Amino acid sequence: MTQIATGAKSYAAQFAAFAQSTPLPSALASLRDDAFNCFDRLGFPTTRLEEWRFSNVTPIADTPFVASVTAPSYGQAALDALHLPELDGPRLVFVNGLFIPTLSSTEGLPPGVRTRSLSEVLVNDPETVQPHLGRLARIENHAFTALNTAFLRDGGVIEVAEGVVVDAPIHLQFVTTGSDGPVLSQPRALVLAADNSQVRVVESHAGESETPYLNNALTEVVVGDGAVVDHYAVVREADTAFRIGGLFASLGRASNFSSHAITLSGAIVRHEAGVVMNGEGGVCTLNGLYLGHGRQLVDNQTTIDHAQPHCDSHELYKGILDGRSRAVFNGKIIVRLDAQKTDAKQSNKALLLSEQAQVTTKPQLEIFADDVKCTHGATVGQLDEESLFYLRSRALSEAQARQLLIHAFAADLLSHIKVDAVRHQLDTLLTERLPVGAGETDHH
Amino acid sequence: MLEIRDLHAAAGDRQILNGINLTVNAGEVHAIMGPNGSGKSTLAGVLAGRDGLEVTAGTVTYKGLDLLDLEPEERAREGVFLAFQYPVEIPGVNNAYLLKAGLNEVRKHRGEPELDAMDFMTLIRARMKLLEMDDTLLSRPVNEGFSGGEKKRNEIFQMAVLEPTLAILDETDSGLDIDALKTVAGGVNALRDPARSLVVVTHYQRLLNYIVPDFVHVLSGGRIVKSGGKELALELEEKGYGWTETEPAAASA
């Protein structure tokens, strides 16, 4: 028996206690049991698995994380100290994966929109979520998805009725705070956007902790026919923290889904996006911006399944890597036999600010249709010396010149961010926080 | 203003400048001419502080400062300006933003208050008129998608905004049609000032019809081989550079 399997086995007692203390309607209870069985069978992934070849999660497997039974006391001041983007609109706040009503507000939502905590829905209205939970985020082959589902308990549920347009972005704030031991936070989000509706959802994942924690989050999005969903996942975890995130979406006919994965900090951050184009004429945009510092590992995995014809998908990921940080990008595009006239574009670009930083890019195209356009590309580069000299010859300091070029590298991605508060914060971060010397060699 | 003494410089293991002597006084316009590979651009690069050029001997004194000891941005703040032979395209960096940041660095260095957005725009508009620049160039990324003429005009426009005391124009005429050349030269002439010196590096005499120099120097093999007045440029035009190489090397002005 390997060390890794021991890691998974150590959750059995915790699961048994959790299942006993948290009753669920029978269908969901059996999903939960199945999920734990899957997790137990799979164990934490090892680098022998192709999808995990470049991402060693031994530090996660080796740490005995424990889920909070009740939410720790957490106040507005602590939340403010995290400097999450301030959006004018409803917000649901979760601490260690558990809903905190006193910090949340759902005022100002138009009729036809409901934002509730999953814990409440599971008690009062399980029929709403039952058909959806675990349908897109499959437990069978994915240990972290199985682990999250086994401890299914709380999260954000957003429902937008047919034809309803929600102007203000809905903010889901997932905060993890340290305690005596390593905390396991496993929130979920479920977004149900009915036909021709329109909604924008911002997930903030942040934390403050000296001890490592694991934020293993799952989001499922059902985009109805003609619906428009604009989604953001901004990850700013503590430097000691691990974050595994899954985003799974199903797109209806002529719908438009965009998601922006923004990774700013965390020791190991993995973000998986899996999108199925389930109706003709859908458009999917997956963008990612990731910053690496110190010994951070940032792993982005995307799968876009073109199951229907005439769908477009665009993927643009950009990384800015300093110190000894490493990044992985694995982009899979599947074009099914019937998915003629597919137009899929994928690109990963990395800017390396130090000699020790690394990036690994792996595009995977599986094309079964014959009348399609699929392109992929990857670039890795450093700051352009001639540009630096040009800017310095115009009186800018070397530090200013570097910052300006770093910001410029990310400029097109920033311009696609429609939520002003999120974009402004990134603007500031990219001009102020990024190291400006001759490439840092280690994290502060 | 500028005092170059016995300047030797190399790029990698290739020795390019082999003992340049040149004195430029305030208000003077010096033309540096010479065939390809004579070291014209290297000289311009050394003065602006370009990386990859190593000064192996000699000194450069600018306003009493050891110019070679200064970083490129320190030179710029002290009033040195290089108009690039090949202006760099920098996607994602806004032209106006760069200028404002640069100008405010210069002003800070001079102990002047930084300009706010309003004052900056007023200044910019006046300078744009001088260069007959299109407004839209301001909001575009630096040089991105600019035509050859627009790029060169943008260089002189930047010079007009930064108001240097020593401007080095590195083949600013190359690739310009006659109309663009006249506009650019007009901009440069408008900036001529008793307190401002110009070093105009060019391959062809044509530019010097419009920016009339006080002195012309011929660079060959990394040395100034001949110096004279503006009529020297015409002589070169007539006889070609081959002619200078047979003449004995002359000391510079």
Side-chain angles (χ1 to χ4, degrees):
Chain A
M1 192 69 20
T2 64
Q3 182 74 32
I4 303 290
T6 311
K9 296 291 178 210
S10 72
Y11 288 86
Q14 199 182 151
F15 175 72
F18 169 74
Q20 196 167 21
S21 66
T22 315
L24 280 182
S26 64
L28 288 171
S30 62
L31 171 68
R32 178 168 76 179
D33 291 342
D34 290 347
F36 190 77
N37 289 335
C38 285
F39 173 69
D40 190 53
R41 172 173 54 81
L42 293 164
F44 282 107
T46 71
T47 51
R48 288 193 298 274
L49 295 171
E50 185 56 31
E51 306 84 71
W52 295 87
R53 214 170 108 202
F54 302 104
S55 296
N56 186 345
V57 295
T58 308
I60 297 177
D62 285 352
T63 310
F65 295 103
V66 178
S68 299
V69 177
T70 55
S73 73
Y74 201 81
Q76 189 63 45
L79 190 60
D80 290 344
L82 293 174
H83 298 290
L84 303 181
E86 284 178 32
L87 311 185
D88 293 326
R91 64 174 182 275
L92 301 183
V93 178
F94 302 83
V95 176
N96 294 0
L98 303 172
F99 182 58
I100 311 290
T102 51
L103 295 174
S104 304
S105 158
T106 55
E107 274 171 40
L109 279 173
V113 190
R114 275 206 294 188
T115 56
R116 291 181 290 174
S117 72
L118 179 60
S119 50
E120 184 214 320
V121 176
L122 287 174
V123 172
N124 297 330
D125 185 19
E127 296 77 20
T128 299
V129 295
Q130 208 161 292
H132 300 291
L133 290 174
R135 188 170 66 87
L136 297 171
R138 308 298 302 175
I139 58 175
E140 292 82 4
N141 293 310
H142 197 307
F144 285 100
T145 299
L147 182 62
N148 176 295
T149 308
F151 287 84
L152 179 73
R153 184 171 171 196
D154 213 343
V157 179
I158 298 169
E159 296 163 87
V160 186
E162 193 174 333
V164 171
V165 174
V166 190
D167 287 325
I170 297 170
H171 198 179
L172 302 177
Q173 305 183 355
F174 299 110
V175 172
T176 310
T177 181
S179 65
D180 301 335
V183 170
L184 176 60
S185 180
Q186 302 207 88
R188 285 183 90 105
L190 178 63
V191 180
L192 303 173
D195 295 352
N196 300 312
S197 67
Q198 191 173 323
V199 67
R200 189 162 278 160
V201 178
V202 176
E203 291 180 32
S204 285
H205 294 266
E208 206 47 66
S209 175
E210 296 291 315
T211 42
Y213 62 80
L214 171 61
N215 177 16
N216 179 31
L218 274 186
T219 300
E220 291 169 287
V221 184
V222 182
V223 186
D225 293 349
V228 178
V229 176
D230 189 25
H231 171 266
Y232 299 80
V234 184
V235 175
R236 205 175 171 182
E237 302 287 9
D239 288 334
T240 53
F242 307 110
R243 197 265 172 174
I244 305 289
L247 165 72
F248 299 94
S250 152
L251 271 63
R253 186 188 167 86
S255 66
N256 189 322
F257 175 68
S258 50
S259 180
H260 311 255
I262 297 151
T263 302
L264 304 174
S265 57
I268 296 178
V269 177
R270 174 155 161 136
H271 186 80
E272 287 187 36
V275 177
V276 186
M277 315 289 291
N278 262 330
E280 286 190 25
V283 178
C284 170
T285 303
L286 296 181
N287 286 339
L289 175 64
Y290 50 95
L291 311 186
H293 302 262
R295 293 176 175 274
Q296 205 183 333
L297 167 65
V298 187
D299 181 350
N300 279 289
Q301 305 269 325
T302 68
T303 303
I304 298 184
D305 184 347
H306 282 265
Q308 295 291 331
H310 292 286
C311 291
D312 292 354
S313 65
H314 314 279
E315 291 176 80
L316 176 60
Y317 279 71
K318 285 192 172 187
I320 301 166
L321 303 173
D322 207 341
R324 294 176 176 276
S325 64
R326 285 195 306 120
V328 179
F329 175 82
N330 192 348
K332 187 192 264 191
I333 297 171
I334 304 167
V335 182
R336 306 278 174 192
L337 192 58
D338 293 334
Q340 301 293 5
K341 304 291 181 189
T342 287
D343 189 351
K345 294 188 190 73
Q346 179 192 91
S347 169
N348 181 46
K349 299 181 179 180
L351 179 62
L352 304 184
L353 299 180
S354 83
E355 297 200 345
Q356 293 86 21
Q358 280 180 38
V359 62
T360 307
T361 299
K362 200 177 93 178
Q364 270 179 284
L365 305 184
E366 296 176 11
I367 301 172
F368 302 99
D370 54 13
D371 184 12
V372 303
K373 270 196 281 188
C374 286
T375 60
H376 65 85
T379 61
V380 181
Q382 285 143 10
L383 289 178
D384 180 54
E385 289 295 332
E386 186 66 8
S387 299
L388 277 173
F389 175 58
Y390 189 81
L391 296 175
R392 293 176 74 189
S393 78
R394 299 302 179 250
L396 271 59
S397 69
E398 188 180 359
Q400 278 175 301
R402 287 176 65 89
Q403 277 174 337
L404 210 49
L405 292 178
I406 289 167
H407 186 274
F409 173 77
D412 54 346
L413 277 179
L414 294 182
S415 72
H416 291 131
I417 294 176
K418 308 265 174 26
V419 181
D420 291 345
V422 173
R423 193 180 60 252
H424 290 158
Q425 197 172 57
L426 285 172
D427 256 334
T428 310
L429 273 172
L430 282 169
T431 45
E432 285 175 6
R433 196 193 73 166
L434 279 172
V436 292
E440 61 166 13
T441 48
D442 227 332
H443 201 37
H444 46 265
Chain B
M1 172 78 64
L2 181 71
E3 192 70 62
I4 303 176
R5 285 288 159 258
D6 194 34
L7 183 66
H8 289 68
D13 47 17
R14 206 158 51 93
Q15 192 68 33
I16 299 176
L17 300 183
N18 296 300
I20 303 258
N21 289 292
L22 179 66
T23 302
V24 178
N25 295 308
E28 292 176 353
V29 177
H30 289 244
I32 310 271
M33 301 186 69
N36 286 329
S38 59
K40 302 188 300 288
S41 283
T42 302
L43 177 60
V46 166
L47 294 178
R50 178 185 288 281
D51 249 8
L53 298 174
E54 195 198 345
V55 174
T56 49
T59 58
V60 180
T61 312
Y62 165 72
K63 293 200 295 193
L65 299 164
D66 177 359
L67 187 70
L68 302 177
D69 197 37
L70 302 179
E71 296 293 332
E73 59 270 33
E74 293 171 322
R75 300 180 196 203
R77 291 168 195 173
E78 288 290 350
V80 176
F81 180 87
L82 172 65
F84 280 54
Q85 183 180 4
Y86 305 110
V88 188
E89 297 196 12
I90 312 182
V93 175
N94 178 281
N95 220 8
Y97 182 91
L98 166 61
L99 267 182
K100 184 159 177 276
L103 178 61
N104 278 332
E105 285 304 323
V106 171
R107 292 179 66 92
K108 258 195 285 185
H109 184 76
R110 291 185 194 145
E112 294 167 4
E114 295 186 31
L115 288 185
D116 62 20
M118 198 77 110
D119 292 341
F120 175 72
M121 283 318 288
T122 310
L123 172 77
I124 287 288
R125 298 254 176 256
R127 297 295 187 265
M128 289 186 78
K129 226 182 231 165
L130 191 67
L131 272 300
E132 298 171 25
M133 295 232 334
D134 195 81
D135 257 23
T136 56
L137 293 185
L138 260 191
S139 54
R140 277 165 52 184
V142 178
N143 293 320
E144 194 188 32
F146 286 26
S147 70
E150 283 173 336
K151 283 182 185 170
K152 295 302 176 81
R153 220 182 291 185
N154 194 34
E155 293 292 289
I156 304 306
F157 167 60
Q158 293 180 354
M159 170 180 155
V161 173
L162 295 175
E163 301 186 320
T165 44
L166 173 66
I168 304 145
L169 275 48
D170 189 3
E171 301 209 17
T172 297
D173 50 334
S174 65
L176 293 187
D177 63 31
I178 194 70
D179 292 332
L181 184 72
K182 282 181 183 168
T183 310
V184 165
V188 172
N189 286 328
L191 296 168
R192 286 181 76 156
D193 184 287
R196 181 172 293 134
S197 310
L198 294 178
V199 174
V200 181
V201 173
T202 180
H203 188 85
Y204 301 105
Q205 183 271 338
R206 192 180 64 149
L207 176 68
L208 305 180
N209 291 334
Y210 301 97
I211 303 174
V212 180
D214 301 305
F215 301 96
V216 175
H217 310 278
V218 181
L219 202 59
S220 179
R223 277 194 197 89
I224 290 177
V225 294
K226 200 167 183 59
S227 294
K230 62 185 174 200
E231 63 288 345
L232 177 57
L234 294 168
E235 213 172 333
L236 281 171
E237 180 83 347
E238 217 172 281
K239 300 182 180 172
Y241 285 114
W243 157 72
T244 58
E245 278 154 25
T246 57
E247 298 273 311
S252 65

